[in-house]
Amino acid sequence: MEKVVEIETPTFGILNGRDCIYINSVTQDNYGNLIFKGEINGNLADKIKNDKWFPYTLTFHRVITYFCCELDTYENIDNYGYLDYSDFNVIENSKWLADFPIREDFDKSIYKHYQLFTYDYVYNIIAVSFDISSN
């Protein structure tokens, strides 16, 4: 059974709220990284709780797939009952990851299913790891 686990980031803690994560840019590089840059609302970051916006860079490493959907449309998708959790999660025992036809020469066990809710969009990402930094 799938389990949603909130990710507590070292700098920001748990991120929670529709107005928490804004994206200025999303890029995919030639090394399999998916890079988000934007701002985090300090009031909605549990380690900060400050009326200030913080620039961030969030990088997912060795991405093999991702799905992006407009937030209000995402709420209408039957399969996704994860709307009561934080804005940044890992999905343990992910059905999407289990069913995804990863090429045979890749070790499927090293991949994780991440979920990122931003102001406008929801991203589901299968990657090996991530890091986040305040710029």
Side-chain angles (χ1 to χ4, degrees), residues 2 28 62-68 80 91 93-114 124-128:
E2 290 186 332
Q28 188 170 0
R62 297 180 60 189
V63 173
I64 56 171
T65 189
Y66 63 95
F67 167 73
C68 176
Y80 299 101
I91 311 301
N93 301 315
S94 164
K95 181 170 176 21
W96 186 42
L97 177 54
D99 293 345
F100 199 75
I102 296 174
R103 27 188 279 201
E104 291 181 18
D105 60 328
F106 280 19
D107 179 3
K108 194 175 203 174
S109 69
I110 65 173
Y111 291 94
K112 295 179 182 175
H113 175 179
Y114 296 98
N124 282 276
I125 302 159
I126 294 179
V128 170

Side-chain angles (χ1 to χ4, degrees), residues 6 9 12 17 44 52 54 72 74 87 112 122 124:
E6 298 172 330
T9 65
F12 301 110
L44 299 174
K52 185 177 174 188
F54 295 86
D72 295 321
Y74 190 82
D87 293 339
K112 295 179 182 175
V122 178
N124 282 276

Side-chain angles (χ1 to χ4, degrees), residues 53-99:
W53 288 86
F54 295 86
Y56 73 90
T57 299
L58 172 60
T59 304
F60 292 92
H61 304 283
R62 297 180 60 189
V63 173
I64 56 171
T65 189
Y66 63 95
F67 167 73
C68 176
C69 185
E70 186 272 331
L71 178 64
D72 295 321
T73 301
Y74 190 82
E75 292 175 346
N76 295 326
I77 298 174
D78 290 340
N79 311 24
Y80 299 101
Y82 309 128
L83 302 174
D84 295 328
Y85 295 94
S86 78
D87 293 339
F88 189 31
N89 307 298
V90 64
I91 311 301
E92 293 181 352
N93 301 315
S94 164
K95 181 170 176 21
W96 186 42
L97 177 54
D99 293 345

